[in-house]
Amino acid sequence: MTTANRLLIADLLDSLDDTQWRTPTLCTGWTVHEMAAHLVQPMLIGFPRFVATALRYRGDTDRTVDHLTRRIARRDRTTLIALLREHAGDQIDPVRVGPMGPFAETCVHLRDIARPLGLPVDVPVTHWQFLLDHLTGPDAAPGLVRPGRLTGVRLHATDVDWAAGDGAAVRGTAEALTMAVTGRDVVLPELTGPGTLR
């Protein structure tokens, strides 16, 4: 599924014009170009180099990832798309988030790109359902779901037979629920029900 999603993203990136490549994504501070670089970063940057860079930023993962992403983003769009296709099948098992991390990124970052551009391209709903199972389960990494965000709510998908959690109901498409769970507050107006994601 991760491989298929990377190839889907590569096709999307290849279809965009220069203005669209400069469009801000839902990830603050990153344009589509930087997001393309970020998507290939785990395949290009080994663990030793990542740790060495993290030491420069006193272990701040967000700043480390941003630094590495911006270095990779010096490459042109054609190169980045080619790298994403070349490494689409790479199996990555990052520290803290495990193999679900790269899969989650392919789903969420696709929509981080497509939503601001008003494009409907999306992964299959079964991918969102699979990801929601992980994010609402006991093994979800803090890097994917902020601790406490799902406390006291029960999520209900409106486009697939899926629900999880205990508490006040929050309803929406599987895509919108996942985007909200992973901190994309821009989708909160699309959700209904008495529950609130914190």
Side-chain angles (χ1 to χ4, degrees), residues 110-127:
L110 168 64
R111 298 301 293 156
D112 284 335
I113 295 168
R115 273 179 167 266
L117 293 172
L119 300 175
V121 61
D122 199 354
V123 299
V125 68
T126 52
H127 289 205

Side-chain angles (χ1 to χ4, degrees), residues 26-97:
L26 295 185
C27 289
T28 303
W30 285 356
T31 64
V32 172
H33 191 115
E34 275 106 30
M35 184 65 79
H38 173 66
L39 286 163
V40 298
Q41 180 234 302
M43 291 87 92
L44 301 183
I45 306 296
F47 184 66
R49 182 177 171 191
F50 188 92
V51 170
T53 305
L55 291 174
R56 293 175 53 188
Y57 292 101
R58 299 183 179 181
D60 188 320
T61 301
D62 290 340
R63 291 179 66 197
T64 301
V65 170
D66 185 70
H67 170 86
L68 294 170
T69 291
R70 293 184 187 281
R71 287 189 65 87
I72 296 169
R74 295 174 184 174
R75 306 180 192 203
D76 62 64
R77 57 182 290 178
T78 301
T79 300
L80 292 174
I81 295 169
L83 285 168
L84 186 56
R85 286 198 171 110
E86 177 186 346
H87 293 280
D90 288 10
Q91 296 183 6
I92 310 295
D93 188 6
V95 175
R96 294 182 64 217
V97 294

Side-chain angles (χ1 to χ4, degrees), residues 22 40 48 50 58 99 127 135 152 170 172 182 185 194:
R22 293 190 296 269
V40 298
F50 188 92
R58 299 183 179 181
H127 289 205
L135 296 176
V170 177
T182 55
D185 290 347

Side-chain angles (χ1 to χ4, degrees), residues 3 13 15-16 57 99 111 143 163-164 166 170 173 176 183 195-196:
T3 299
L13 293 172
S15 73
L16 303 180
Y57 292 101
R111 298 301 293 156
D166 295 304
V170 177
T173 64
T196 302

Side-chain angles (χ1 to χ4, degrees), residues 163-185:
D166 295 304
V170 177
R171 298 182 180 85
T173 64
E175 180 259 357
L177 288 174
T178 309
M179 297 296 282
V181 166
T182 55
R184 277 67 179 173
D185 290 347

Side-chain angles (χ1 to χ4, degrees), residues 149 170 176 180-181 184-192 196-197:
R149 190 164 181 87
V170 177
V181 166
R184 277 67 179 173
D185 290 347
V186 68
V187 307
L188 293 180
E190 300 175 26
L191 306 180
T192 61
T196 302
L197 291 177

